[in-house]
């Protein structure tokens, strides 16, 4: 099970290198005689490397408009410009686009022509970080795999905007202006293959509703969340990495077994208001509890299995898998209690 999870994560994070290898195969076989043709149809504002014929580099050019995109282009780099609008005209011939980077421009929702994005049928990666968007743009290409909208001004998510995005694996909405009211029970409906959801640095006070069931990574840092609902994680049984740093969680806001979830391998609760370590599962490998209000640690109490039973099971039994424990920034005084080491035999690092 753990091997399967790590395999999925590896596929998610090396996507870019896979695409690079695929394109490399295309241009390695390219006849140099054709290079002049590619150069001649290259927009004068941009750079078309002969060795990378499927890519168009128009980044850092001070552009206010998108130039006409040649039909051969798969990868389009337009970041760090002054672009305010997305219209259909530049993309008329660009029917093979897989990747568009429009980070750090001045694009607003009013500047996006109706339907322009959804007409890019083969688009897989859309980067619109650091723009002026106030809501998630719609409609979106149905084949999209990654959507990055960090550091905008998004406070609204149109109804049904994600309903047809069955292939989306990553949705990044961090550092926007989302309130609890923006996340309804059906907001993420349709994201059946989502693996990473990042809603950090928003204005949430509650855990978001109806997270897609296949989510592996859930990032909620830097919000104002106070309570974890009872059985919240039973609806996302595959969640592996959970980040809740910089929130307002207290002991009373966590159910007795709120984080005792076998799928969670990495749990981050730094910079909250906890006075004790919440119950954890034996499968947990990394636990971050720094900068809370914890005064003492009792290894016997927090051990997810009985130490006596642990002796009976031996090394290959159900011993706790915790390898990293961070407790600095609390009120705990060294040395590390011996019963911590007895319980968590696989510990490789303890920060106190």
């Amino acid at each position: 099970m753990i091997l399967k999870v790590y395999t999925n994560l590896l596929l998610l994070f090396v996507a870019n290198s896979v695409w690079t290898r695929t394109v490399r195969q295309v241009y390695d076989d390219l006849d140099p005689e054709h290079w002049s043709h590619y150069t001649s149809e290259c927009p004068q504002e941009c750079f078309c490397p002969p060795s990378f014929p499927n890519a168009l580099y128009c980044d850092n050019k001070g552009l206010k408009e998108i130039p006409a995109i040649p039909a051969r282009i798969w990868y389009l780099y337009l970041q760090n410009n002054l672009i305010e609008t997305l219209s259909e005209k530049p993309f008329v011939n660009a029917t093979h686009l897989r990747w568009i980077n429009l980070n750090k421009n001045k694009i607003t929702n009013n500047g996006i022509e109706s339907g322009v994005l959804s007409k890019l049928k083969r688009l897989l990666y859309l980067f619109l970080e650091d723009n002026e968007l106030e809501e998630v743009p719609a409609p979106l290409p149905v084949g999209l795999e990654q959507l990055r909208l960090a550091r905008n001004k998004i406070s609204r998510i149109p109804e049904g905007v994600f309903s047809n995005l069955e292939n989306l694996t990553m949705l990044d909405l961090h550092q926007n202006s989302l309130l609890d009211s923006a996340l309804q029970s059906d907001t993420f409906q349709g994201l059946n293959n989502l693996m990473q959801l990042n809603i950090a640095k928003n204005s949430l006070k509650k855990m978001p509703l109806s997270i897609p069931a296949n989510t592996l990574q859930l990032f909620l840092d830097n919000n104002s969340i106070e309570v974890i609902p009872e059985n919240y994680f039973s609806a996302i049984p595959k969640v592996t990495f959970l980040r809740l740093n910089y929130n307002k969680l207290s002991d009373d806001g966590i159910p007795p077994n709120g984080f005792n979830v076998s799928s969670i391998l990495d749990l981050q609760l730094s910079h909250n208001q906890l006075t004790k370590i919440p119950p954890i599962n034996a499968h947990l490998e990394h636990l971050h509890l720094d900068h809370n209000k914890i005064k003492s640690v009792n290894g016997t109490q927090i051990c997810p299995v009985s130490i006596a039973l642990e002796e009976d099971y031996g090394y290959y039994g159900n011993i706790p898998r915790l390898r990293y424990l961070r407790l600095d920034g609390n009120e705990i005084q060294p040395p590390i209690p011996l019963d911590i080491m007895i319980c968590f035999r696989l510990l490789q690092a303890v920060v106190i």
Side-chain angles (χ1 to χ4, degrees):
M1 175 60 185
I2 294 175
L3 178 60
K4 182 179 179 181
V5 169
Y6 282 133
T7 301
N8 288 337
L9 290 174
L10 183 61
L11 290 173
L12 174 66
F13 290 122
V14 302
N16 296 357
S17 61
V18 170
W19 274 110
T20 301
R21 287 197 300 272
T22 302
V23 174
R24 188 85 200 177
Q25 293 169 1
V26 173
Y27 67 69
D28 278 350
D29 296 332
L30 188 66
D31 187 343
E33 294 181 0
H34 295 160
W35 289 357
S36 60
H37 166 69
Y38 291 122
T39 303
S40 65
E41 67 171 0
C42 182
Q44 63 179 3
E45 309 96 325
C46 306
F47 172 58
C48 299
S51 60
F52 199 177
N54 297 103
L56 180 61
Y57 291 87
C58 308
D59 52 308
N60 296 286
K61 302 294 185 181
L63 300 180
K64 293 185 178 181
E65 296 181 352
I66 299 175
I69 310 303
R72 73 175 189 276
I73 298 302
W74 287 19
Y75 300 87
L76 178 57
Y77 298 89
L78 288 161
Q79 66 270 28
N80 293 300
N81 280 294
L82 303 171
I83 298 168
E84 297 181 358
T85 60
L86 296 181
S87 62
E88 183 177 347
K89 184 177 179 181
F91 299 104
V92 169
N93 296 318
T95 57
H96 296 283
L97 276 175
R98 265 69 164 178
W99 173 303
I100 299 179
N101 189 333
L102 279 159
N103 292 346
K104 295 187 178 180
N105 277 283
K106 298 182 179 297
I107 298 168
T108 64
N109 290 95
N110 290 334
I112 301 177
E113 184 177 321
S114 179
V116 63
L117 293 173
S118 62
K119 291 178 181 178
L120 301 173
K121 303 295 186 181
R122 300 188 182 185
L123 194 66
L124 301 178
Y125 297 79
L126 177 58
F127 300 166
L128 279 165
E129 299 178 344
D130 296 285
N131 277 278
E132 304 292 331
L133 299 174
E134 295 183 352
E135 65 178 45
V136 175
L140 292 162
V142 295
L144 211 57
E145 293 183 4
Q146 288 192 18
L147 177 59
R148 304 189 184 214
L149 298 169
R151 295 177 299 277
N152 277 273
K153 301 175 182 178
I154 296 173
S155 61
R156 297 185 301 275
I157 301 179
E159 184 177 356
V161 67
F162 302 127
S163 60
N164 295 320
L165 303 187
E166 294 186 359
N167 295 326
L168 199 72
T169 59
M170 176 188 288
L171 175 57
D172 191 344
L173 288 162
H174 89 268
Q175 201 166 331
N176 276 285
S177 303
L178 293 170
L179 299 170
D180 296 317
S181 57
L183 305 180
Q184 301 297 316
S185 60
D186 60 351
T187 296
F188 301 112
Q189 184 175 344
L191 299 180
N192 299 326
N193 290 297
L194 194 70
M195 298 172 66
Q196 183 185 106
L197 177 59
N198 191 341
I199 326 178
K201 293 188 177 182
N202 277 278
S203 299
L204 304 180
K205 294 183 179 179
K206 299 178 181 179
M207 296 291 286
L209 300 171
S210 301
I211 300 298
N214 285 321
T215 302
L216 297 175
Q217 299 179 325
L218 179 57
F219 303 151
L220 292 163
D221 314 78
N222 292 89
N223 280 285
S224 299
I225 297 171
E226 298 179 355
V227 176
I228 307 294
E230 190 83 34
N231 300 319
Y232 181 84
F233 299 104
S234 62
I236 41 176
K238 298 181 180 180
V239 63
T240 305
F241 296 88
L242 177 61
R243 291 197 334 217
L244 280 158
N245 304 319
Y246 291 95
N247 276 282
K248 297 182 178 180
L249 290 171
S250 64
D251 302 327
D252 294 336
I254 300 176
N257 285 295
F259 295 120
N260 188 359
V261 180
S262 61
S263 65
I264 299 178
L265 303 182
D266 190 298
L267 176 58
Q268 299 190 19
L269 297 168
S270 305
H271 293 271
N272 278 278
Q273 299 171 13
L274 303 175
T275 64
K276 59 184 179 182
I277 298 178
I280 59 174
N281 193 271
H283 290 88
L284 188 67
E285 296 184 3
H286 296 83
L287 178 58
H288 298 246
L289 285 164
D290 55 287
H291 298 91
N292 277 273
K293 300 179 179 180
I294 301 170
K295 295 183 178 180
S296 62
V297 180
N298 186 315
T300 303
Q301 291 180 353
I302 68 171
C303 193
V305 301
S306 167
I307 292 179
L309 289 176
E310 192 177 334
E311 293 286 348
D312 293 337
Y313 282 127
Y315 184 82
Y316 295 102
N318 190 32
I319 66 171
R321 301 177 186 176
L322 194 67
R323 288 170 167 79
Y324 180 88
L325 176 60
R326 184 170 177 182
L327 291 166
D328 55 305
N330 285 282
E331 300 176 33
I332 304 169
Q333 299 297 321
I336 300 168
L338 180 60
D339 52 5
I340 291 284
M341 308 309 296
I342 294 175
C343 173
F344 301 108
R345 302 183 188 182
L346 301 181
L347 265 177
Q348 298 175 356
V350 181
V351 184
I352 194 169

